[in-house]
Amino acid sequence: MNISLEHPEMLLLIIPVTVAGFYLLRKTKTKIVEWRMLVVFLLILALAAPFTTVTQTANEENPSLILIQDKTSSMELFSNETGTDLYKALAADTSTTLVQLTGDKTNLGDAVTQYSGTGNQIILITDGNNNSGKSLVDALGFAKETNTSVYLVEPELKTNDLSVEILGDKSVVVDNPNEFEIVVRQASNQSVSYSYEAYVDGELSQSGDITQNATQYSITPNLRQTFSTLGAHNISVKITPSGEDLNNINNEFYKSVYVIPKPKLTLVTGEPNSPLAQILNKLYNTSVFTTYPGASALNSSKALVLDNQFADNLTETQVKEIRKYVTNGGGLVVVGGERAYNYGNYLNSSFEKILPVLSKPSEYKGGRNLVLILDVSPSTAAHKTQGDILGNAIYILQNENLKDANAEVIAFGSKGYDVSGGFVFLGLAQNQATLKDKIERLTPDEESKTSLDAGLNISKEMLTGKEGELDAIIISDGAIEDSYEPGLQAAKELQKLGVNLYFIHVRSVAPSQTDKSRNYYAEMFMKELGLEKNYFHINMSERANIVFESTNKSQEEDKEDKDKEENVTSDYSLYTYSPNSFITKDVNLTSNITGYNDVTPKSGAERLVITTSNGKPVLTTWRFGLGRVAAFTTDNGQGDGSRWATNVYNGSSAKLISSMINWAVANPRAEEGTVVDSPDTWLGTPSNLTLKMYDEGIPKLKLDGNALDLALTGRNTYETTVNPDSIGIHDISGYPLAVNYQLEYRDVGLNEDIEPLVLATGGKIYNEKEARALLLKDARQNSVKQSDEQVSLKVYVLLAALVLYLGEILARRIREMRNLKNAQVEIGAEK
């Protein structure tokens, strides 16, 4: 039994009692003082309020269920009787409330939030496509936090449906090439065929016949278009399916485009004919200077590009001007070379404070092999720790110091198995995304057994022969009673390989996580290994913070340093470190560089492009005030033999340069005249319109000829909402707005992304037949709630003090009576 104190500070009263007691003992030298001291000690202990924790189990035979049936327009693809039949079956045996969602919008997240935390369990009959109100991800997270089990019944697909959408920028620059992505979705994953036609300003631009086998497909090549005139333009696409297709409203899509003048750029370079300068001159209204031109030249410039410039070329006054320019929203791109960064005296300069990098060599953080060993035994679902186990695994994979590590994911329940399919390099964001997806899809083992040793044995196989830093992290609810001994033996074998072992114990009410003395098996496990410092005991919803130290320099980096000393030229392949960023998401890097400036990203900066051999940053960005700063730490590609990045400015890699500048520019529209912004929208979904007045005057806007009411919301800023009632291209005083079919018809078919979120609440996923057979049984099992309750021990301590006090009095009275009797006997004898 573990005993704790509610008010441990009361124990401090023992000190004066002890001092007084010893003083009285010296004065009286009688046993009564010792007895009274013990009584007072017990009274002080009662004031400290001792208590113990016991586990209480509550069982609800007939749980209260809320059945949320999605009957919105998108559900016409599925069986219409699933919800009705299941409701009748459940209502016959337990309290069940039916809630139906109808119309052309799905507020599924709002409904889940409304009924979470009310003592009910929630059943969803839906395709999982939430398109209005609270995010379903947030709603299911709230359900988990409030201990509300959510079950998902996936209805049977009865017919197929296709939808089309065009993705791309709305504001584009005149005479610059643009790409627009045409995305086609289908409800099933069967093979479908359709033809498509894409129009630009009413003229056919692209067409073809497509056979699609996936639920989502991007038509290749992308629609490429260069607009040579300013103002409003439009793009549309129409698909004509040859097979089954329920709705035709979502077979056509409109996109509005607003063409603006080329944004102004300022380029400071000593080589005005370099490949970098040529790209900037072609895509932007570029002013070229050989030295920094001063603040006046930046007034109307969207970005400043400094190409291979010494820091000493800038005075402190000029650095302050640049700092103010960026802080107020200007963009800054600093291109490297033999006069920049570590070669340009940037280190510790006032100019470096604006940059996202330090001009000193970055440390190598690779050479690490990490294994995550995840508990997917039935207890993790029964006691609702599975979501936290998986969440902690994902949290670890996102650690910055693991970006250059290799990771392996192993799961164990009744047996162990490889989840990741071998070690995966975490330096690629797509690899992280793949691992995250695989982890989120893990479901509890059906057999009632937790075999920690099986997971550890697979880890041993994977780590045997590996070099460098070896780490293995167990993430479990700690219910390892049955596999404690074999698991301990397997862990000791891992230690012999030099593996650093960690245990993240997610606290729950699982009874098999403690022995009869309420000692945690996981904690004892790590103590026996001598790894108490590597034991993390956390509550549900918490994340363990394991500190991963940097590993030693790699052999590749040692070789690189040696090559530098010997002036050996090497090729360094580039790869995208963060492929989902604005700059890199559509860039296909196929080129190598022969050199770079050696820098270290600052805290808060984002590495976007690095070299493959050693992870050295080549493109690093961050926000500075209202502005954006990019550090491109290779050179301008000038075509002579001593230059580093000639290939970057050619072919598909060249898009990296324009994307980098576009990111730094941010808003390419000139801050002059009247600027309108209103994103394209869906029928029935309002678009938020913003109007900025840079010239004096009264703002006036008309939507299709009808005046709009504008509200002043900031300095020279007006806002309103527009909600046209027809599909097509609409006119807002010369600014285009596209309105498409209702959002309800875009996402067709089942949304499988919500499945791991449902499982994290402790619920399950069924088809209609499985739901009728198993759902009520599972709901009853989930209604068995275990909770830790405090039981006060104060009354027992007070009783002990009373017994001790009365015992002392009784003993003293007996002794006195005995002495009195003896005295009377002695007096009688004398007589």
Side-chain angles (χ1 to χ4, degrees), residues 726-770:
S726 61
I727 294 174
I729 303 293
H730 297 263
D731 175 71
I732 305 175
S733 298
Y735 183 84
L737 174 71
V739 177
N740 284 288
Y741 53 82
Q742 292 98 327
L743 186 55
E744 179 75 11
Y745 295 98
R746 182 190 65 179
D747 299 316
V748 292
L750 295 174
N751 177 14
E752 296 180 353
D753 291 339
I754 70 167
E755 292 181 357
L757 302 174
V758 168
L759 295 173
T761 69
K764 291 188 177 182
I765 299 169
Y766 315 90
N767 58 33
E768 182 180 0
K769 183 178 180 181
E770 291 170 339

Side-chain angles (χ1 to χ4, degrees), residues 172-198:
V172 302
V173 176
V174 66
D175 293 330
N176 283 2
N178 303 280
E179 289 192 6
F180 299 91
E181 182 181 5
I182 301 173
V183 177
V184 179
R185 301 176 178 89
Q186 65 159 328
S188 73
N189 56 4
Q190 65 189 30
S191 178
V192 295
S193 297
Y194 52 87
S195 61
Y196 79 97
E197 295 176 333

Side-chain angles (χ1 to χ4, degrees), residues 508-574:
S508 71
V509 293
S512 56
Q513 66 177 323
T514 60
D515 62 11
K516 294 180 180 179
S517 300
R518 308 270 308 167
N519 297 312
Y520 290 111
Y521 284 111
E523 186 173 12
M524 293 189 295
F525 184 89
M526 296 302 283
K527 281 184 178 178
E528 287 204 49
L529 296 172
L531 299 174
E532 297 94 329
K533 293 182 179 180
N534 290 358
Y535 171 69
F536 298 85
H537 191 182
I538 63 175
N539 294 317
M540 287 190 287
S541 80
E542 293 181 346
R543 298 293 178 259
N545 289 314
I546 299 178
V547 178
F548 296 96
E549 300 292 341
S550 301
T551 55
N552 296 326
K553 187 180 284 190
S554 70
Q555 295 178 353
E556 293 166 320
E557 191 173 12
D558 287 335
K559 180 180 181 299
E560 176 198 346
D561 292 341
K562 185 176 180 181
D563 288 346
K564 284 183 177 179
E565 294 172 2
E566 298 175 357
N567 294 321
V568 176
T569 300
S570 301
D571 278 347
Y572 304 98
S573 298
L574 300 179

Side-chain angles (χ1 to χ4, degrees), residues 81-276:
E81 302 301 320
T82 301
T84 305
D85 293 345
L86 182 60
Y87 169 69
K88 291 178 180 178
L90 293 172
D93 294 313
T94 191
S95 174
T96 306
T97 301
L98 177 63
V99 177
Q100 293 184 331
L101 307 179
T102 59
D104 289 331
K105 290 184 179 180
T106 306
N107 298 81
L108 203 57
D110 290 343
V112 171
T113 303
Q114 178 181 350
Y115 293 103
S116 294
T118 58
N120 301 299
Q121 299 184 59
I122 298 174
I123 304 166
L124 301 179
I125 302 179
T126 178
D127 57 6
N129 294 314
N130 185 72
N131 51 52
S132 182
K134 190 176 182 67
S135 160
L136 188 55
V137 173
D138 294 339
L140 290 171
F142 178 70
K144 179 188 170 188
E145 291 174 4
T146 55
N147 294 319
T148 303
S149 298
V150 180
Y151 307 89
L152 175 62
V153 180
E154 296 180 330
E156 182 183 356
L157 186 68
K158 292 296 186 181
T159 185
N160 200 11
D161 190 37
L162 280 73
S163 71
V164 65
E165 182 182 14
I166 303 173
L167 304 178
D169 295 331
K170 179 167 184 173
S171 294
V172 302
V173 176
V174 66
D175 293 330
N176 283 2
N178 303 280
E179 289 192 6
F180 299 91
E181 182 181 5
I182 301 173
V183 177
V184 179
R185 301 176 178 89
Q186 65 159 328
S188 73
N189 56 4
Q190 65 189 30
S191 178
V192 295
S193 297
Y194 52 87
S195 61
Y196 79 97
E197 295 176 333
Y199 296 85
V200 178
D201 293 331
E203 299 290 332
L204 182 64
S205 176
Q206 187 172 309
S207 63
D209 296 315
I210 303 292
T211 298
Q212 176 174 330
N213 298 305
T215 55
Q216 182 170 313
Y217 176 74
S218 294
I219 294 176
T220 54
N222 288 341
L223 179 63
R224 295 181 173 89
Q225 183 66 35
T226 299
F227 296 95
S228 58
T229 58
L230 300 176
H233 295 265
N234 64 81
I235 302 172
S236 65
V237 63
K238 183 177 182 180
I239 60 172
T240 305
S242 60
E244 192 176 53
D245 180 51
L246 180 64
N247 299 305
N248 57 20
I249 189 174
N250 51 3
N251 291 351
E252 189 168 10
F253 193 91
Y254 299 91
K255 179 169 183 57
S256 68
V257 177
Y258 193 68
V259 181
I260 61 175
K262 292 186 177 183
K264 295 180 180 179
L265 252 61
T266 300
L267 170 63
V268 180
T269 180
E271 297 171 315
N273 296 316
S274 69
L276 169 68

Side-chain angles (χ1 to χ4, degrees), residues 119 176 200 301-302 305 370 449 457 494 546 642 646 779 801 813:
N176 283 2
V200 178
S301 181
K302 288 290 185 177
V305 181
L370 168 69
K449 189 176 181 182
N457 285 330
L494 277 174
I546 299 178
S642 65
T646 303
R813 294 296 298 166

Side-chain angles (χ1 to χ4, degrees), residues 586-599:
D586 294 321
V587 175
N588 180 23
L589 281 178
T590 59
S591 59
N592 295 345
I593 59 175
T594 59
Y596 53 84
N597 298 105
D598 207 345
V599 299

